[in-house]
Amino acid sequence: MPKQLMTFQVNGETREVAASPTHTLLEVLREELDLTGTKHGCELGHCGACTVLVDGEPVLSCLLLAVEAQDAAITTVEGLARDNNTLHPLQLAFAERGAAQCGYCTPGFLVSGVSLLTRTTDPSRDEIKDALSGNLCRCTGYTKIIEAVELAATRMRETQQPVPSSRSRRNRP
Amino acid sequence: MMRLPKFEYRAARTVAEALEWMGEFSSAADKDPQAHAMLMAGGTDVLPNMKHRVFTPQVVVGLRGVAALRGIAYDPEHGLRLGAGVRLSELAASPIIRARYPALARAAEVISTPQLRQMGTLGGNLCLDTRCNYYNQSEFWRKARDYCLKRGSEICRVAPNGTGCYAVSSCDTAPVLIALGATARIASRAGDRILPIADLYHDDGIHPVRLHDGDVLTDLYVPSPPGDWRSTYEKYRVRGAFDFPIASVAAVARFDGAQCADVRLVLQGVATRPLPLPEVEALLRGQPWTPDLLDAAAELGYKAAHPMDNTAGTIALRRRIVRAYIRRALDALIAPSVIH
Ligand SMILES: Cc1cc2nc3c(=O)[nH]c(=O)nc-3n(C[C@H](O)[C@H](O)[C@H](O)COP(=O)(O)OP(=O)(O)OC[C@H]3O[C@@H](n4cnc5c(N)ncnc54)[C@H](O)[C@@H]3O)c2cc1C
Ligand code: SF4
Ligand code: FES
Ligand code: FES
């Protein structure tokens, strides 16, 4: 199938690439845009490793056709760092708490976690578990991941850091 | 990477456009058996099935851009109107649905994961293909076993001596909408028609949804519940996220004092279609709900459920869950926390 030109809004930048119309957003991110932070696990909706934000909401890039993602604001794990290139509080908390072991699931967890922390910086443990319930981890046993989200939330409450604009929540179908 | 098979993607802007493109290909299919088009809303069932080569459409008609399929509207007289393109996350979060139709919000909320609910739609859920351990597998796996009756062979691997396919209806919103007496508007090239959701399904695991090729489900209508209707949805699954129902129960009831004035019970995950339980309803109707009566109702429901060995969970487990979850649902209906 011949490639076609597609335009994406990724991590605040406009990127134009030639990509196959039968490819998913996951394939285009990794193979055409060199954004390999987003991982491919099951590629069938069963693991959450491929989670990205589309207009601020976490979705599975393995089950979204790239052509259908062209009008949306996409944020991948590479786009979570703050504008001045400092890591997001959740990324720092993951490193400090040892919330990553093999690290394969980490980008997906970070993206789901940041989506939660954008909605609230005071989530209950149940809210955290619910927000992360679409991400599987085979290493950590989840405890450190949940603690990292709590730590990041506490710090974000203390410093009340504003949320970067690339995660604006437009209302989309 | 697991690649999708080749197909042509077309983004429909209107229902009419989707109907026209679907029509083009169903008439072409008469001449060329490979010509075949499929609708896609959220794509959360279509795309995994395409990756497994269970679906191999030549054309995929995307419904994402069809504005007429969106929106949730409620008025006390006519009830609820839901666009088929409403996402599961919207259903679960809608204040009016949570207040007036709690079982529907619950059914949407217990589907898979936050990411998937953000993508999957109500229409796609209602038109979900049936599922089976021998069907939802890779092409390699299915070919190695020489396929099955639902796709590519003459024999059902679950019931080799049977004549049909017993793949399981697994969509969580359908049993609730049937129990709530909802109807669906279906657009076709011949015009629109409205039919009860219950009539969308029949005992055919191969073609479980009774839509003609190319029909588009556009709206769902749920009647306004009298103030004292109570509803619940109890779903059993292996994990608290990701998993399809191993068995579940949708229940709606209205009470007149201590007596049950009316009740609707529908099972899901145990047959090729959502399974209404009229005998159990008859037993409960007009009676005060004593613990003994509820036990008898659960036992009767247990006898009506005959799942096959084709999903997670053994047959015996699934039947025991049916009994326990009917009881659980009935208890929930009389518990004060569900009174609205
Ligand atoms: C890991 C995983 C877990 C899941 N768990 C559950 C679960 O627990 N419970 C559950 O119910 N589902 C589950 N699903 C299935 C699916 O994601 C949901 O049912 C979802 O609601 C399907 O909606 P969709 O819009 O993505 O459908 P699509 O994949 O776009 O379409 C599904 C079917 O509906 C047809 N269709 C879509 N819209 C229309 C329309 N307007 N008119 C006519 N036909 C239409 C399509 O042609 C296709 O046949 C799961 C899926 C995955 C991958
Ligand atoms: S029930 Fe039988 S025919 Fe149907 S999908 Fe399963 S193995 Fe195939
Ligand atoms: S790779 Fe997308 S859910 Fe597993
Ligand atoms: S750290 Fe290895 S899968 Fe989560």
Side-chain angles (χ1 to χ4, degrees):
Chain A
M1 191 115 328
K3 289 185 173 183
Q4 68 185 49
L5 273 186
M6 297 186 203
T7 310
F8 299 97
Q9 308 298 323
V10 194
N11 301 330
E13 286 175 30
T14 303
R15 304 275 305 263
E16 197 181 29
V17 285
S20 164
T22 69
H23 278 190
T24 60
L25 180 60
L26 175 66
E27 289 166 290
V28 172
L29 286 173
R30 291 183 54 88
E31 296 172 355
E32 313 290 349
L33 295 168
D34 284 335
L35 292 168
T36 51
T38 305
K39 299 300 175 217
H40 60 113
C42 64
E43 297 174 42
L44 294 167
H46 294 265
C47 77
C50 66
T51 306
V52 298
L53 299 181
V54 168
D55 292 330
E57 300 291 349
V59 303
L60 303 173
S61 60
C62 72
L63 297 185
L64 179 59
L65 289 183
V67 278
E68 293 198 320
Q70 289 186 94
D71 306 325
I74 299 160
T75 307
T76 67
V77 69
E78 290 91 344
L80 297 183
R82 300 292 169 120
D83 296 337
N84 57 4
N85 239 350
T86 51
L87 291 179
H88 188 281
L90 186 61
Q91 292 174 304
L92 291 171
F94 258 64
E96 282 174 41
R97 275 284 180 276
Q101 287 183 20
C102 80
Y104 206 81
C105 67
T106 310
F109 271 100
L110 286 171
V111 166
S112 292
V114 166
S115 154
L116 170 72
L117 292 171
T118 308
R119 284 198 299 278
T120 171
T121 51
D122 193 14
S124 67
R125 196 156 256 237
D126 279 348
E127 280 175 305
I128 296 174
K129 284 186 182 169
D130 191 55
L132 302 181
S133 63
N135 294 82
L136 292 186
C137 175
R138 297 287 84 149
C139 305
T140 63
Y142 302 100
T143 307
K144 303 271 183 201
I145 294 177
I146 294 167
E147 285 173 8
V149 176
E150 285 174 340
L151 177 65
T154 308
R155 288 187 181 156
M156 286 171 80
R157 281 201 305 280
E158 282 164 3
T159 56
Q160 299 214 311
Q161 279 175 289
V163 175
S165 57
S166 63
R167 259 169 282 131
S168 66
R169 301 161 121 247
R170 267 196 285 143
N171 231 355
R172 276 179 47 83
Chain B
M1 284 274 193
M2 204 184 277
R3 308 286 178 194
L4 288 163
K6 298 286 166 249
F7 62 94
E8 180 195 337
Y9 174 79
R10 296 190 191 179
R13 296 280 143 211
T14 61
V15 172
E17 201 168 44
L19 288 174
E20 189 189 312
W21 287 337
M22 291 300 292
E24 212 177 285
F25 278 84
S26 51
S27 48
D30 299 340
K31 293 163 230 131
D32 171 6
Q34 297 306 314
H36 167 53
M38 255 194 112
L39 295 169
M40 181 170 93
T44 61
D45 193 51
V46 169
L47 294 178
N49 281 334
M50 283 175 67
K51 288 185 179 183
H52 278 163
R53 292 355 183 218
V54 160
F55 298 157
T56 48
Q58 190 180 341
V59 172
V60 170
V61 176
L63 296 175
R64 204 172 269 263
V66 181
L69 299 182
R70 292 180 206 142
I72 297 176
Y74 175 78
D75 80 77
E77 197 183 329
H78 300 101
L80 194 62
R81 178 264 167 194
L82 301 164
V86 165
R87 284 168 299 155
L88 299 171
S89 55
E90 292 177 80
L91 273 186
S94 156
I96 188 69
I97 298 177
R98 294 182 79 87
R100 304 292 282 160
Y101 308 90
L104 183 57
R106 181 74 191 147
E109 191 173 66
V110 294
I111 291 173
S112 197
T113 61
Q115 293 95 314
L116 197 121
R117 294 194 289 277
Q118 192 61 36
M119 310 172 80
T121 65
L122 176 59
N125 191 247
L126 290 171
C127 299
L128 190 71
D129 197 7
T130 47
R131 301 183 56 82
C132 171
N133 285 344
Y134 296 86
Y135 177 66
N136 300 102
Q137 299 287 355
S138 66
E139 167 76 6
F140 175 80
W141 193 102
R142 288 179 297 117
K143 188 176 176 197
R145 294 194 67 111
D146 197 18
Y147 303 103
C148 78
L149 183 63
K150 187 161 161 74
R151 185 93 166 85
S153 166
E154 303 295 307
I155 297 169
C156 167
R157 303 284 156 201
V158 175
N161 298 326
T163 51
C165 162
Y166 301 92
V168 179
S169 176
S170 308
C171 47
D172 284 295
T173 62
V176 175
L177 288 175
I178 293 171
L180 289 168
T183 52
R185 178 185 290 273
I186 291 149
S188 74
R189 275 170 304 148
D192 285 10
R193 62 188 191 279
I194 291 191
L195 80 167
I197 306 271
D199 293 354
L200 263 185
Y201 306 102
H202 60 160
D203 281 322
D204 179 353
I206 299 181
H207 303 290
V209 183
R210 293 171 69 191
L211 292 181
H212 302 298
D213 206 17
D215 285 358
V216 180
L217 190 64
T218 56
D219 308 85
L220 293 309
Y221 303 101
V222 197
S224 190
D228 53 355
W229 271 97
R230 300 172 195 178
S231 69
T232 187
Y233 184 63
E234 304 290 338
K235 169 176 176 175
Y236 179 78
R237 50 183 167 170
V238 177
R239 299 169 291 181
F242 287 102
D243 291 334
F244 283 92
I246 282 182
S248 64
V249 183
V252 178
R254 190 159 53 86
F255 292 88
D256 187 0
Q259 278 180 1
C260 164
D262 204 358
V263 59
R264 299 291 310 271
L265 284 170
V266 184
L267 300 179
Q268 183 62 311
V270 291
T272 52
R273 66 183 166 101
L275 197 67
L277 294 174
E279 309 84 12
V280 185
E281 293 165 4
L283 182 74
L284 291 165
R285 210 172 277 131
Q287 304 293 327
W289 282 12
T290 61
D292 284 350
L293 183 72
L294 300 191
D295 278 343
E299 190 63 30
L300 200 56
Y302 171 81
K303 290 190 177 129
H306 300 288
M308 306 292 282
D309 191 10
N310 57 352
T311 67
T314 60
I315 293 177
L317 171 83
R318 285 159 76 198
R319 295 191 69 211
R320 282 205 306 278
I321 293 294
V322 164
R323 180 164 56 199
Y325 274 53
I326 290 176
R327 183 64 213 260
R328 184 180 285 210
L330 298 175
D331 281 336
L333 291 181
I334 43 178
S337 63
V338 293
I339 298 175
H340 291 283

